[in-house]
Amino acid sequence: MNRILDPSLLGDDFIWGVSSSAYQTEGAHLTDGKGLSIWDVFTETQQRKIKDRSSAVIACDFYNRYEEDIRLLKQTGIPHFRFSLSWPRILPQGTGDINTKGIDYYNRVIDYCLAQGITPWVTLYHWDLPYALEQQGGWTNRAIVEWFAHYVQVCWKAFGDRVKHWMVLNEPMVFVGAGYFLGVHAPGRMGMKNFLPAIHHAVLCMAEGGRILRRLDPEATIGTTFSCSYIEPYRSSERDVRAAQKVDTLLNRIFLEPILGLGYPTADLKPLQDIKSYMKPGDESRMAFPFDFIGIQNYTREIVRHSWWTPYLQAKLVSPAHRKVPYTQMNWEVFPDALYEMIKQFSSYKGIPDIYITENGAAFEDPDHPELILDYHRKEYLQQHIAQLFRAKAEGFPVKGYFVWTWTDNFEWAEGYIPKFGLVKTDRKTQKRVLKESGRWYGEFIQGEITEITEP
Ligand code: BGC
């Protein structure tokens, strides 16, 4: 079936952008007084956990090249830019002295965006915790609620006169799950004794961050972002259905429901019950905050089957290779309906505010050409996913915007530089940028060009 994508059908107030993060792009990891982050230390001391043994000491050198990257955004016709602030660049020890050079740097980035007519959407925390705080327990220490509150205030004071779109946390489930349970992301901690307190403190910080920003700037648009995957059982057997339910609870509900005032979904995930031991009187209400928007970050769906051998969950994922379906460099199935399903699932909660897709995109190996990057797979991925926005919007779901992950090819955490997610190719040796075909198409599309696509 052919489908017409006409951007004007999404409404005049629908916004389009790209997303990135500080650690994955900035480099300059010790420049101008920046403190170490947990990722600086992790990539140094646990190098074997990074697929290509790389680090982000230089990354895309965005610290020095932000003007070029923002100019290219402008030339491509992309009006909204989501990026994050590095906590240790602003507060090298996490608390205490402010690094004025770090503040100056973000002032330059924000001012340059505004001068180019690009709206900055700022994430306060995208995983690069100051190492000094990790030495005091990091996310497992309840004191992080105070550390974080201080950091939020410093950021608002420095940038709040110009930044009007804020996101408090980026994907808490990923940084807590991968960093404090599986140990595959910084700081590399494992087990329930780290996981449960880190979940609870991240929830408290998310709500507290929202409250602080709202108090300081009642006019600002304040959100927070969640990773999510559409979950389906492998077979319709009771066991697989139950396994899928548990994975859905783990991946899609743990952080969203307490924010909405529903508490933790412990009834559907028993091992979560021990989180009570980290809660203090009054926490139930402290965990909730009415955000202006929720950022959905979706890339794929997961198919789940029962497994006796997986501790806590008794569930495992069935890989796309096993199912013989298309997948990306991340081993994530290409399944555009997932985006629609997640919008629908999130919208089914009472009181869900506006929804922005704050990340969606695909890692594919790009054709090797110095000037002409004809990345048709990525372009098609974007078109198929954007088609799902039209579907969701037509059904009345409150989707207000879409950001592609990501602008320049960058440091993909434990996967190093292998997966390429960018709309712009970044040559790691020369730092030369080349706009890919997907980026060219995206820019033209959002400027009003109508596109016809063939749906799978
Ligand atoms: C994160 C990004 C990451 C992307 C692709 C999200 O989980 O917010 O930092 O690069 O997905 O894996």
Side-chain angles (χ1 to χ4, degrees):
M1 194 187 92
N2 280 6
R3 184 191 264 266
I4 303 289
L5 303 184
D6 173 355
S8 68
L9 295 178
L10 293 172
D12 290 345
D13 58 345
F14 195 91
I15 67 110
W16 300 96
V18 292
S19 272
S20 75
S21 86
Y23 189 71
Q24 292 173 274
T25 59
E26 284 177 358
H29 80 309
L30 287 177
T31 306
D32 291 340
K34 175 179 167 292
L36 286 172
S37 78
I38 52 173
W39 272 95
D40 293 316
V41 175
F42 186 73
T43 49
E44 180 73 30
T45 59
Q46 305 199 40
Q47 232 179 37
R48 72 199 149 75
K49 293 190 178 171
I50 312 295
K51 255 196 196 139
D52 57 2
R53 305 280 193 271
S54 62
S55 77
V57 165
I58 299 173
C60 309
D61 195 26
F62 183 79
Y63 191 80
N64 296 304
R65 293 168 197 265
Y66 67 89
E67 290 193 355
E68 182 185 346
D69 288 347
I70 294 168
R71 225 168 24 237
L72 188 54
L73 267 176
K74 158 96 175 169
Q75 284 160 6
T76 310
I78 300 174
H80 296 265
F81 182 34
R82 171 176 178 245
F83 57 91
S84 75
L85 307 176
S86 157
W87 187 346
R89 198 180 288 291
I90 291 172
L91 294 164
Q93 297 304 309
T95 57
D97 289 344
I98 296 174
N99 178 28
T100 51
K101 288 194 170 159
I103 301 275
D104 292 348
Y105 160 69
Y106 288 116
N107 273 328
R108 291 196 296 276
V109 172
I110 292 163
D111 289 346
Y112 198 74
C113 281
L114 295 172
Q116 298 291 319
I118 288 169
T119 308
W121 290 62
V122 173
T123 311
L124 286 161
Y125 184 76
H126 199 129
W127 309 356
D128 45 355
L129 185 74
Y131 181 63
L133 298 183
E134 176 57 25
Q135 287 175 304
Q136 298 168 63
W139 286 98
T140 67
N141 185 341
R142 192 174 169 114
I144 197 159
V145 183
E146 275 148 51
W147 302 332
F148 188 68
H150 174 64
Y151 167 60
V152 175
Q153 289 168 49
V154 169
C155 292
W156 185 83
K157 212 167 151 213
F159 316 120
D161 56 335
R162 286 149 296 149
V163 173
K164 297 296 165 191
H165 301 85
W166 295 94
M167 281 143 291
V168 178
L169 296 185
N170 181 73
E171 299 191 349
M173 189 59 221
V174 179
F175 75 78
V176 172
Y180 287 83
F181 183 70
L182 298 172
V184 295
H185 275 192
R189 296 220 230 165
M190 285 184 267
M192 285 305 236
K193 67 174 191 311
N194 291 310
F195 187 46
L196 294 179
I199 292 176
H200 187 52
H201 302 145
V203 168
L204 290 175
C205 283
M206 203 158 45
E208 188 60 17
R211 272 188 292 273
I212 293 170
L213 291 171
R214 173 80 42 85
R215 179 165 46 76
L216 293 170
D217 190 351
E219 300 303 311
T221 305
I222 304 161
T224 196
T225 79
F226 299 106
S227 50
C228 57
S229 296
Y230 180 49
I231 306 296
E232 289 190 296
Y234 186 56
R235 297 205 178 87
S236 55
S237 69
E238 209 175 296
R239 274 191 194 156
D240 283 5
V241 170
R242 178 75 198 107
Q245 221 173 48
K246 284 198 255 181
V247 172
D248 179 52
T249 308
L250 177 74
L251 298 185
N252 300 328
R253 299 172 53 197
I254 289 185
F255 287 91
L256 175 67
E257 295 192 1
I259 281 296
L260 297 175
L262 302 170
Y264 291 113
T266 43
D268 290 328
L269 197 62
K270 297 276 166 357
L272 201 58
Q273 280 172 350
D274 292 343
I275 205 161
K276 282 201 192 79
S277 58
Y278 300 97
M279 292 178 69
K280 292 199 170 160
D283 276 6
E284 285 281 353
S285 55
R286 248 177 240 133
M287 280 153 49
F289 178 73
F291 281 103
D292 298 314
F293 74 92
I294 294 296
I296 288 185
Q297 313 203 149
N298 170 260
Y299 291 85
T300 190
R301 81 165 160 180
E302 297 291 357
I303 299 293
V304 178
R305 70 187 301 183
H306 176 266
S307 137
W308 289 116
W309 315 113
T310 319
Y312 305 113
L313 279 180
Q314 282 76 48
K316 68 174 183 192
L317 307 181
V318 185
S319 75
H322 180 85
R323 291 183 278 124
K324 301 194 173 40
V325 292
Y327 56 93
T328 69
Q329 277 184 306
M330 298 294 282
N331 262 326
W332 295 343
E333 181 187 359
V334 177
F335 188 73
D337 293 45
L339 186 58
Y340 164 82
E341 295 292 349
M342 292 323 296
I343 294 170
K344 190 169 157 190
Q345 186 169 330
F346 273 54
S347 303
S348 71
Y349 289 94
K350 222 174 107 210
I352 202 83
D354 288 348
I355 289 175
Y356 287 85
I357 308 305
T358 39
E359 283 185 24
N360 171 247
F364 289 113
E365 204 169 321
D366 287 320
D368 186 19
H369 190 282
E371 299 298 336
L372 198 60
I373 318 290
L374 299 175
D375 58 335
Y376 295 123
H377 287 320
R378 187 174 295 99
K379 179 164 102 175
E380 196 184 327
Y381 178 102
L382 294 179
Q383 293 179 343
Q384 307 291 358
H385 284 75
I386 287 172
Q388 300 296 322
L389 302 176
F390 287 79
R391 187 177 163 204
K393 195 82 181 177
E395 290 181 27
F397 297 125
V399 202
K400 291 289 172 64
Y402 175 88
F403 292 77
V404 176
W405 181 270
T406 185
W407 188 223
T408 50
D409 288 335
N410 61 38
F411 178 74
E412 180 51 40
W413 310 110
E415 307 297 314
Y417 293 91
I418 300 165
K420 310 284 186 224
F421 272 98
L423 299 181
V424 174
K425 174 183 165 165
T426 319
D427 184 307
R428 279 194 69 207
K429 283 203 196 88
T430 62
Q431 290 293 348
K432 187 173 172 225
R433 274 57 166 158
V434 179
L435 184 69
K436 301 178 193 176
E437 169 63 14
S438 57
R440 186 205 60 75
W441 171 79
Y442 185 57
E444 287 191 357
F445 166 70
I446 65 188
Q447 288 175 91
E449 192 197 78
I450 295 170
T451 301
E452 188 172 355
I453 61 163
T454 307
E455 287 203 291

